[in-house]
PDB file of all heavy atoms in Angstrom:
ATOM      1  N   PHE N  14     -13.826  24.861   1.705  1.00  0.00           N
ATOM      2  CA  PHE N  14     -14.258  23.534   1.186  1.00  0.00           C
ATOM      3  C   PHE N  14     -15.768  23.632   0.808  1.00  0.00           C
ATOM      4  O   PHE N  14     -16.593  24.187   1.530  1.00  0.00           O
ATOM      5  CB  PHE N  14     -14.067  22.622   2.383  1.00  0.00           C
ATOM      6  CG  PHE N  14     -14.254  21.092   1.927  1.00  0.00           C
ATOM      7  CD1 PHE N  14     -13.195  20.502   1.260  1.00  0.00           C
ATOM      8  CD2 PHE N  14     -15.487  20.421   2.257  1.00  0.00           C
ATOM      9  CE1 PHE N  14     -13.368  19.138   0.897  1.00  0.00           C
ATOM     10  CE2 PHE N  14     -15.544  19.137   1.900  1.00  0.00           C
ATOM     11  CZ  PHE N  14     -14.436  18.545   1.193  1.00  0.00           C
ATOM     12  N   GLU N  15     -16.016  23.006  -0.376  1.00  0.00           N
ATOM     13  CA  GLU N  15     -17.372  23.124  -0.948  1.00  0.00           C
ATOM     14  C   GLU N  15     -17.844  24.556  -1.140  1.00  0.00           C
ATOM     15  O   GLU N  15     -19.020  24.810  -1.066  1.00  0.00           O
ATOM     16  CB  GLU N  15     -18.338  22.338  -0.100  1.00  0.00           C
ATOM     17  CG  GLU N  15     -18.141  20.800  -0.107  1.00  0.00           C
ATOM     18  CD  GLU N  15     -19.106  20.052   0.729  1.00  0.00           C
ATOM     19  OE1 GLU N  15     -19.750  20.671   1.636  1.00  0.00           O
ATOM     20  OE2 GLU N  15     -19.220  18.782   0.574  1.00  0.00           O
ATOM     21  N   VAL N  24      -6.617  21.082   3.770  1.00  0.00           N
ATOM     22  CA  VAL N  24      -7.263  19.761   3.772  1.00  0.00           C
ATOM     23  C   VAL N  24      -6.417  18.826   2.906  1.00  0.00           C
ATOM     24  O   VAL N  24      -5.727  19.238   1.971  1.00  0.00           O
ATOM     25  CB  VAL N  24      -8.635  19.934   3.207  1.00  0.00           C
ATOM     26  CG1 VAL N  24      -8.730  20.334   1.747  1.00  0.00           C
ATOM     27  CG2 VAL N  24      -9.554  18.604   3.345  1.00  0.00           C
ATOM     28  N   SER N  25      -6.595  17.543   3.291  1.00  0.00           N
ATOM     29  CA  SER N  25      -5.763  16.509   2.348  1.00  0.00           C
ATOM     30  C   SER N  25      -6.909  15.803   1.556  1.00  0.00           C
ATOM     31  O   SER N  25      -7.977  15.604   2.009  1.00  0.00           O
ATOM     32  CB  SER N  25      -4.968  15.587   3.154  1.00  0.00           C
ATOM     33  OG  SER N  25      -5.770  14.749   3.898  1.00  0.00           O
ATOM     34  N   TYR N  26      -6.568  15.461   0.254  1.00  0.00           N
ATOM     35  CA  TYR N  26      -7.405  14.608  -0.506  1.00  0.00           C
ATOM     36  C   TYR N  26      -6.582  13.284  -0.658  1.00  0.00           C
ATOM     37  O   TYR N  26      -5.506  13.239  -1.372  1.00  0.00           O
ATOM     38  CB  TYR N  26      -7.553  15.107  -1.904  1.00  0.00           C
ATOM     39  CG  TYR N  26      -8.107  16.605  -1.954  1.00  0.00           C
ATOM     40  CD1 TYR N  26      -7.450  17.577  -2.615  1.00  0.00           C
ATOM     41  CD2 TYR N  26      -9.242  16.983  -1.292  1.00  0.00           C
ATOM     42  CE1 TYR N  26      -7.876  18.874  -2.509  1.00  0.00           C
ATOM     43  CE2 TYR N  26      -9.726  18.267  -1.256  1.00  0.00           C
ATOM     44  CZ  TYR N  26      -9.019  19.238  -1.862  1.00  0.00           C
ATOM     45  OH  TYR N  26      -9.493  20.607  -1.850  1.00  0.00           O
ATOM     46  N   HIS N  71     -16.249   7.283  -3.600  1.00  0.00           N
ATOM     47  CA  HIS N  71     -17.113   8.454  -3.427  1.00  0.00           C
ATOM     48  C   HIS N  71     -16.937   9.397  -4.567  1.00  0.00           C
ATOM     49  O   HIS N  71     -15.740   9.599  -5.012  1.00  0.00           O
ATOM     50  CB  HIS N  71     -16.678   9.136  -2.077  1.00  0.00           C
ATOM     51  CG  HIS N  71     -17.405  10.331  -1.748  1.00  0.00           C
ATOM     52  ND1 HIS N  71     -18.748  10.592  -2.159  1.00  0.00           N
ATOM     53  CD2 HIS N  71     -17.102  11.430  -1.007  1.00  0.00           C
ATOM     54  CE1 HIS N  71     -19.136  11.729  -1.709  1.00  0.00           C
ATOM     55  NE2 HIS N  71     -18.138  12.217  -0.965  1.00  0.00           N
ATOM     56  N   MET N  72     -17.917   9.876  -5.142  1.00  0.00           N
ATOM     57  CA  MET N  72     -17.913  10.772  -6.344  1.00  0.00           C
ATOM     58  C   MET N  72     -17.838  12.202  -6.156  1.00  0.00           C
ATOM     59  O   MET N  72     -17.857  12.960  -7.080  1.00  0.00           O
ATOM     60  CB  MET N  72     -19.123  10.415  -7.140  1.00  0.00           C
ATOM     61  CG  MET N  72     -18.860   9.181  -8.125  1.00  0.00           C
ATOM     62  SD  MET N  72     -17.484   9.531  -9.259  1.00  0.00           S
ATOM     63  CE  MET N  72     -18.114  10.865 -10.289  1.00  0.00           C
ATOM     64  N   GLU N  73     -17.930  12.774  -4.966  1.00  0.00           N
ATOM     65  CA  GLU N  73     -17.754  14.133  -4.769  1.00  0.00           C
ATOM     66  C   GLU N  73     -16.469  14.562  -5.480  1.00  0.00           C
ATOM     67  O   GLU N  73     -15.459  13.970  -5.373  1.00  0.00           O
ATOM     68  CB  GLU N  73     -17.831  14.589  -3.255  1.00  0.00           C
ATOM     69  CG  GLU N  73     -18.041  16.024  -3.145  1.00  0.00           C
ATOM     70  CD  GLU N  73     -18.347  16.567  -1.777  1.00  0.00           C
ATOM     71  OE1 GLU N  73     -18.444  15.756  -0.776  1.00  0.00           O
ATOM     72  OE2 GLU N  73     -18.505  17.824  -1.613  1.00  0.00           O
ATOM     73  N   PRO N  74     -16.542  15.707  -6.242  1.00  0.00           N
ATOM     74  CA  PRO N  74     -15.399  16.079  -7.046  1.00  0.00           C
ATOM     75  C   PRO N  74     -14.078  16.373  -6.313  1.00  0.00           C
ATOM     76  O   PRO N  74     -13.066  16.486  -6.910  1.00  0.00           O
ATOM     77  CB  PRO N  74     -15.837  17.196  -7.793  1.00  0.00           C
ATOM     78  CG  PRO N  74     -17.381  16.998  -8.011  1.00  0.00           C
ATOM     79  CD  PRO N  74     -17.740  16.515  -6.681  1.00  0.00           C
ATOM     80  N   ASP N  75     -14.088  16.526  -5.064  1.00  0.00           N
ATOM     81  CA  ASP N  75     -12.779  16.632  -4.303  1.00  0.00           C
ATOM     82  C   ASP N  75     -11.922  15.326  -4.418  1.00  0.00           C
ATOM     83  O   ASP N  75     -10.883  15.345  -4.215  1.00  0.00           O
ATOM     84  CB  ASP N  75     -12.947  17.087  -2.846  1.00  0.00           C
ATOM     85  CG  ASP N  75     -13.828  16.193  -2.016  1.00  0.00           C
ATOM     86  OD1 ASP N  75     -14.882  15.683  -2.565  1.00  0.00           O
ATOM     87  OD2 ASP N  75     -13.630  16.010  -0.787  1.00  0.00           O
ATOM     88  N   HIS N  76     -12.691  14.234  -4.790  1.00  0.00           N
ATOM     89  CA  HIS N  76     -12.003  12.931  -4.991  1.00  0.00           C
ATOM     90  C   HIS N  76     -12.019  12.481  -6.463  1.00  0.00           C
ATOM     91  O   HIS N  76     -11.199  11.730  -6.930  1.00  0.00           O
ATOM     92  CB  HIS N  76     -12.563  11.846  -4.096  1.00  0.00           C
ATOM     93  CG  HIS N  76     -12.677  12.360  -2.645  1.00  0.00           C
ATOM     94  ND1 HIS N  76     -11.613  12.596  -1.883  1.00  0.00           N
ATOM     95  CD2 HIS N  76     -13.709  12.562  -1.944  1.00  0.00           C
ATOM     96  CE1 HIS N  76     -11.972  12.976  -0.707  1.00  0.00           C
ATOM     97  NE2 HIS N  76     -13.239  13.094  -0.667  1.00  0.00           N
ATOM     98  N   VAL N 137     -23.274   8.325   3.170  1.00  0.00           N
ATOM     99  CA  VAL N 137     -22.222   8.819   4.076  1.00  0.00           C
ATOM    100  C   VAL N 137     -21.283   9.602   3.221  1.00  0.00           C
ATOM    101  O   VAL N 137     -20.102   9.240   3.098  1.00  0.00           O
ATOM    102  CB  VAL N 137     -21.459   7.692   4.727  1.00  0.00           C
ATOM    103  CG1 VAL N 137     -20.419   8.196   5.645  1.00  0.00           C
ATOM    104  CG2 VAL N 137     -22.333   6.646   5.438  1.00  0.00           C
ATOM    105  N   HIS N 138     -21.635  10.688   2.760  1.00  0.00           N
ATOM    106  CA  HIS N 138     -22.815  11.573   2.844  1.00  0.00           C
ATOM    107  C   HIS N 138     -23.561  11.717   1.487  1.00  0.00           C
ATOM    108  O   HIS N 138     -24.308  12.564   1.361  1.00  0.00           O
ATOM    109  CB  HIS N 138     -22.435  12.873   3.374  1.00  0.00           C
ATOM    110  CG  HIS N 138     -21.469  13.630   2.575  1.00  0.00           C
ATOM    111  ND1 HIS N 138     -21.451  14.807   2.113  1.00  0.00           N
ATOM    112  CD2 HIS N 138     -20.208  13.099   2.047  1.00  0.00           C
ATOM    113  CE1 HIS N 138     -20.456  15.241   1.352  1.00  0.00           C
ATOM    114  NE2 HIS N 138     -19.657  14.186   1.225  1.00  0.00           N
ATOM    115  N   TRP N 139     -23.113  10.944   0.522  1.00  0.00           N
ATOM    116  CA  TRP N 139     -23.699  10.874  -0.833  1.00  0.00           C
ATOM    117  C   TRP N 139     -24.396   9.533  -0.979  1.00  0.00           C
ATOM    118  O   TRP N 139     -23.969   8.639  -0.368  1.00  0.00           O
ATOM    119  CB  TRP N 139     -22.798  11.170  -1.949  1.00  0.00           C
ATOM    120  CG  TRP N 139     -22.402  12.683  -2.197  1.00  0.00           C
ATOM    121  CD1 TRP N 139     -22.495  13.761  -1.244  1.00  0.00           C
ATOM    122  CD2 TRP N 139     -21.987  13.247  -3.455  1.00  0.00           C
ATOM    123  NE1 TRP N 139     -22.075  14.905  -1.920  1.00  0.00           N
ATOM    124  CE2 TRP N 139     -21.831  14.585  -3.229  1.00  0.00           C
ATOM    125  CE3 TRP N 139     -21.648  12.757  -4.771  1.00  0.00           C
ATOM    126  CZ2 TRP N 139     -21.365  15.547  -4.267  1.00  0.00           C
ATOM    127  CZ3 TRP N 139     -21.315  13.580  -5.736  1.00  0.00           C
ATOM    128  CH2 TRP N 139     -21.135  14.915  -5.419  1.00  0.00           C
ATOM    129  N   GLU N 141     -23.867   7.293  -3.399  1.00  0.00           N
ATOM    130  CA  GLU N 141     -23.019   6.197  -3.967  1.00  0.00           C
ATOM    131  C   GLU N 141     -21.867   5.849  -3.030  1.00  0.00           C
ATOM    132  O   GLU N 141     -21.098   4.866  -3.339  1.00  0.00           O
ATOM    133  CB  GLU N 141     -22.463   6.672  -5.298  1.00  0.00           C
ATOM    134  CG  GLU N 141     -21.182   7.519  -5.150  1.00  0.00           C
ATOM    135  CD  GLU N 141     -21.308   8.844  -4.308  1.00  0.00           C
ATOM    136  OE1 GLU N 141     -22.489   9.115  -3.912  1.00  0.00           O
ATOM    137  OE2 GLU N 141     -20.287   9.423  -4.139  1.00  0.00           O
ATOM    138  N   THR N 142     -21.877   6.350  -1.808  1.00  0.00           N
ATOM    139  CA  THR N 142     -20.657   6.110  -0.874  1.00  0.00           C
ATOM    140  C   THR N 142     -20.550   4.551  -0.636  1.00  0.00           C
ATOM    141  O   THR N 142     -21.508   3.972  -0.262  1.00  0.00           O
ATOM    142  CB  THR N 142     -20.691   6.937   0.346  1.00  0.00           C
ATOM    143  OG1 THR N 142     -22.032   6.856   0.885  1.00  0.00           O
ATOM    144  CG2 THR N 142     -20.366   8.440  -0.032  1.00  0.00           C
ATOM    145  N   GLY N 156     -13.488   6.125   2.435  1.00  0.00           N
ATOM    146  CA  GLY N 156     -14.039   7.443   1.919  1.00  0.00           C
ATOM    147  C   GLY N 156     -14.097   8.477   2.967  1.00  0.00           C
ATOM    148  O   GLY N 156     -13.111   8.533   3.729  1.00  0.00           O
ATOM    149  N   ASP N 157     -15.238   9.379   2.892  1.00  0.00           N
ATOM    150  CA  ASP N 157     -15.197  10.426   3.864  1.00  0.00           C
ATOM    151  C   ASP N 157     -15.304  10.124   5.277  1.00  0.00           C
ATOM    152  O   ASP N 157     -14.945  10.882   6.203  1.00  0.00           O
ATOM    153  CB  ASP N 157     -16.268  11.401   3.504  1.00  0.00           C
ATOM    154  CG  ASP N 157     -15.913  12.298   2.312  1.00  0.00           C
ATOM    155  OD1 ASP N 157     -14.892  12.254   1.798  1.00  0.00           O
ATOM    156  OD2 ASP N 157     -16.928  12.947   1.832  1.00  0.00           O
ATOM    157  N   TYR N 186     -15.602  18.973  10.622  1.00  0.00           N
ATOM    158  CA  TYR N 186     -15.750  18.248   9.405  1.00  0.00           C
ATOM    159  C   TYR N 186     -17.139  17.466   9.447  1.00  0.00           C
ATOM    160  O   TYR N 186     -17.958  17.513   8.597  1.00  0.00           O
ATOM    161  CB  TYR N 186     -14.683  17.291   9.025  1.00  0.00           C
ATOM    162  CG  TYR N 186     -14.893  16.498   7.711  1.00  0.00           C
ATOM    163  CD1 TYR N 186     -14.565  17.144   6.478  1.00  0.00           C
ATOM    164  CD2 TYR N 186     -15.386  15.272   7.887  1.00  0.00           C
ATOM    165  CE1 TYR N 186     -14.820  16.351   5.317  1.00  0.00           C
ATOM    166  CE2 TYR N 186     -15.629  14.514   6.719  1.00  0.00           C
ATOM    167  CZ  TYR N 186     -15.267  15.121   5.372  1.00  0.00           C
ATOM    168  OH  TYR N 186     -15.558  14.445   4.232  1.00  0.00           O
ATOM    169  N   ILE N 190     -20.470  18.633   7.245  1.00  0.00           N
ATOM    170  CA  ILE N 190     -20.674  18.000   6.032  1.00  0.00           C
ATOM    171  C   ILE N 190     -21.460  16.615   6.070  1.00  0.00           C
ATOM    172  O   ILE N 190     -22.210  16.389   5.322  1.00  0.00           O
ATOM    173  CB  ILE N 190     -19.244  17.655   5.414  1.00  0.00           C
ATOM    174  CG1 ILE N 190     -18.628  19.002   4.975  1.00  0.00           C
ATOM    175  CG2 ILE N 190     -19.297  16.739   4.141  1.00  0.00           C
ATOM    176  CD1 ILE N 190     -17.139  19.061   4.716  1.00  0.00           C
ATOM    177  N   VAL N 191     -21.241  15.953   7.085  1.00  0.00           N
ATOM    178  CA  VAL N 191     -21.824  14.586   7.217  1.00  0.00           C
ATOM    179  C   VAL N 191     -23.086  14.677   8.273  1.00  0.00           C
ATOM    180  O   VAL N 191     -23.863  13.742   8.120  1.00  0.00           O
ATOM    181  CB  VAL N 191     -20.795  13.592   7.802  1.00  0.00           C
ATOM    182  CG1 VAL N 191     -21.442  12.093   7.733  1.00  0.00           C
ATOM    183  CG2 VAL N 191     -19.536  13.695   6.869  1.00  0.00           C
ATOM    184  N   THR N 216     -10.488   9.541   3.259  1.00  0.00           N
ATOM    185  CA  THR N 216     -10.180  10.336   2.083  1.00  0.00           C
ATOM    186  C   THR N 216      -9.657  11.775   2.534  1.00  0.00           C
ATOM    187  O   THR N 216      -9.300  12.448   1.748  1.00  0.00           O
ATOM    188  CB  THR N 216     -11.309  10.443   1.108  1.00  0.00           C
ATOM    189  OG1 THR N 216     -12.570  10.694   1.835  1.00  0.00           O
ATOM    190  CG2 THR N 216     -11.463   9.324   0.231  1.00  0.00           C
ATOM    191  N   HIS N 217      -9.839  12.143   3.868  1.00  0.00           N
ATOM    192  CA  HIS N 217      -9.369  13.309   4.441  1.00  0.00           C
ATOM    193  C   HIS N 217      -8.580  13.114   5.738  1.00  0.00           C
ATOM    194  O   HIS N 217      -9.239  12.321   6.581  1.00  0.00           O
ATOM    195  CB  HIS N 217     -10.384  14.298   4.666  1.00  0.00           C
ATOM    196  CG  HIS N 217     -11.149  14.676   3.353  1.00  0.00           C
ATOM    197  ND1 HIS N 217     -10.662  15.441   2.407  1.00  0.00           N
ATOM    198  CD2 HIS N 217     -12.521  14.403   3.019  1.00  0.00           C
ATOM    199  CE1 HIS N 217     -11.653  15.589   1.394  1.00  0.00           C
ATOM    200  NE2 HIS N 217     -12.735  14.963   1.846  1.00  0.00           N
TER     201      HIS N 217
HETATM  202 FE1  FEO M 401     -14.458  14.534   0.581  1.00  0.00          FE
HETATM  203 FE2  FEO M 401     -17.806  14.119   0.194  1.00  0.00          FE
HETATM  204  O1  FEO M 401     -16.052  14.461  -0.382  1.00  0.00           O
END
Side-chain angles (χ1 to χ4, degrees):
F14 189 78
E15 297 178 339
V24 65
S25 68
Y26 309 122
H71 179 27
M72 270 301 295
E73 191 167 359
D75 54 328
H76 311 293
V137 181
H138 60 128
W139 276 29
E141 84 300 354
T142 45
D157 283 349
Y186 177 83
I190 292 165
V191 188
T216 42
H217 301 289

